[in-house]
């Protein structure tokens, strides 16, 4: 990847141009990473309901268009800007809730809502300089236009072949892991497991009830199992989900 380091990369991305408008696959330009930023190549990406909410523009503050959505992915580092934790060729997943490691929240051990990189669906610009690393000279109809910036989403933006994010928002993973599934760790799995481990703090030998057996609920069940729950009860209005639930050691529904 040395041939692209320090240069603008032209690639394809799925760009949202307005609330509920079909995403447009088009060429964009991705700038090199600035200080404490990482530019990565997307290998796999998945979709989450949070992406849908931003696309529909439910909240007025989320209506930043054009924009590249997506926050669950597996990536390989293409280049870095003065970063030591990861290097070119490392496999990483994004985290929309980054940690600077220096603010009062990061250092007190009570919360993970970093003052600088905490999750913020309204956020559309990079922390470093308040700018974007995406731009395009193509409009949504495929015609040429003046260069315009394309906004970021949740510190991540994964619906693109290349993206730039703050180094605080990447986590290195084992390259031998099943990469197609690892993108789910970016949000759904970590949310569910974290709910069991941290929020509920499931104790060994206890009975745990999980409401909603989607990806987050199933991950919560796995987190409860790993914590030693003796019985896991699944609750869902959709009976078709119970069959899958047995694989996660649900004993009753």
């Amino acid at each position: 990847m040395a041939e692209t380091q320090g240069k603008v990369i032209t690639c394809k991305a799925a760009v949202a141009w307005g609330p509920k408008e079909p995403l447009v696959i088009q060429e964009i330009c991705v700038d090199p990473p600035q200080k404490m930023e990482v530019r990565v190549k997307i290998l796999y990406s998945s979709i989450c309901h949070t992406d849908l909410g931003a696309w529909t523009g439910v909240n007025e503050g989320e209506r930043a268009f054009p924009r590249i959505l997506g926050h669950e992915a597996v990536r390989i580092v293409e280049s870095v800007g003065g970063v030591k934790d990861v290097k070119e060729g490392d496999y990483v997943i994004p985290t929309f809730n980054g940690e600077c490691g220096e603010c009062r929240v990061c250092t007190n051990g009570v919360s993970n809502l970093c003052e600088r990189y905490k999750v913020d669906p309204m956020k559309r610009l990079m922390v470093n300089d308040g700018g974007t690393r995406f731009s395009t000279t193509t409009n949504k109809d495929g015609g040429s236009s003046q260069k315009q910036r394309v906004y970021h989403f949740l510190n991540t933006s994964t619906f693109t072949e290349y993206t730039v994010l703050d180094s605080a928002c990447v986590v290195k993973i084992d390259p031998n892991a099943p990469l197609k599934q690892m993108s789910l760790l970016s949000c759904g799995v970590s949310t569910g497991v974290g709910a069991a481990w941290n929020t509920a703090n499931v104790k060994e030998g206890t009975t745990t009830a999980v409401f909603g057996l989607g990806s987050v609920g199933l991950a919560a069940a796995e987190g409860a199992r790993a914590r030693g729950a003796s019985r896991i009860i699944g609750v869902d209005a959709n009976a078709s989900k119970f069959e899958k639930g047995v694989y996660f050691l649900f004993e009753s529904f």
Side-chain angles (χ1 to χ4, degrees):
M1 301 181 188
E3 66 276 7
T4 57
Q5 290 184 10
K7 301 177 182 178
V8 174
I9 291 178
T10 300
C11 67
K12 296 286 188 179
V15 180
W17 283 89
K20 299 183 180 181
E21 292 186 14
L23 302 185
V24 178
I25 307 298
Q26 64 181 85
E27 281 193 349
I28 64 164
C29 294
V30 184
D31 292 339
Q34 295 190 13
K35 184 178 180 180
M36 301 308 293
E37 295 177 355
V38 180
R39 186 165 64 181
V40 297
K41 179 180 181 180
I42 303 293
L43 302 179
Y44 302 99
S45 185
S46 47
I47 190 169
C48 171
H49 194 272
T50 302
D51 300 310
L52 179 62
W55 172 67
T56 57
V58 174
N59 297 313
E60 186 68 29
E62 289 184 325
R63 297 184 181 183
F65 299 103
R67 196 175 202 180
I68 298 175
L69 303 174
H71 60 284
E72 297 182 343
V74 174
R75 311 158 170 196
I76 185 169
V77 176
E78 177 270 339
S79 59
V80 300
V83 177
K84 296 181 179 179
D85 294 339
V86 295
K87 63 183 184 304
E88 176 190 345
D90 282 345
Y91 288 82
V92 297
I93 58 174
T95 171
F96 52 80
N97 197 21
E99 296 182 358
C100 70
E102 299 175 352
C103 71
R104 62 183 180 87
V105 177
C106 285
T107 55
N108 69 15
V110 176
S111 171
N112 67 335
L113 296 180
C114 173
E115 292 179 329
R116 194 175 191 195
Y117 297 107
K118 66 182 178 182
V119 56
D120 181 4
M122 312 301 180
K123 185 178 177 183
R124 63 198 71 175
L125 302 170
M126 298 296 290
V127 170
N128 209 7
D129 61 355
T132 73
R133 304 294 174 262
F134 302 130
S135 62
T136 184
T137 56
T138 305
N139 59 37
K140 64 180 179 180
D141 298 318
S144 298
S145 67
Q146 291 185 339
K147 181 179 179 180
Q148 61 179 312
R149 63 183 181 179
V150 179
Y151 291 108
H152 295 257
F153 176 65
L154 280 179
N155 298 326
T156 52
S157 293
T158 65
F159 294 169
T160 173
E161 293 178 319
Y162 286 87
T163 187
V164 175
L165 59 164
D166 298 295
S167 61
C169 297
V170 297
V171 178
K172 188 159 57 174
I173 62 172
D174 186 342
N176 296 313
L179 298 180
K180 287 185 178 181
Q181 288 78 39
M182 292 300 287
S183 67
L184 298 176
L185 290 178
S186 298
C187 181
V189 171
S190 56
T191 300
V193 172
W197 277 66
N198 300 320
T199 305
N201 192 19
V202 173
K203 304 296 184 182
E204 185 175 357
T206 58
T207 297
T208 301
V210 178
F211 290 79
L213 304 184
S215 61
V216 175
L218 295 177
E222 177 62 17
R225 182 202 63 78
R227 292 283 282 186
S230 61
R231 186 184 182 196
I232 303 175
I233 301 172
V235 182
D236 199 296
N238 186 350
S240 66
K241 294 185 177 181
F242 297 157
E243 182 177 353
K244 184 174 292 185
V246 300
Y247 292 102
F248 289 82
L249 301 182
F250 286 102
E251 292 189 6
S252 56
F253 302 94

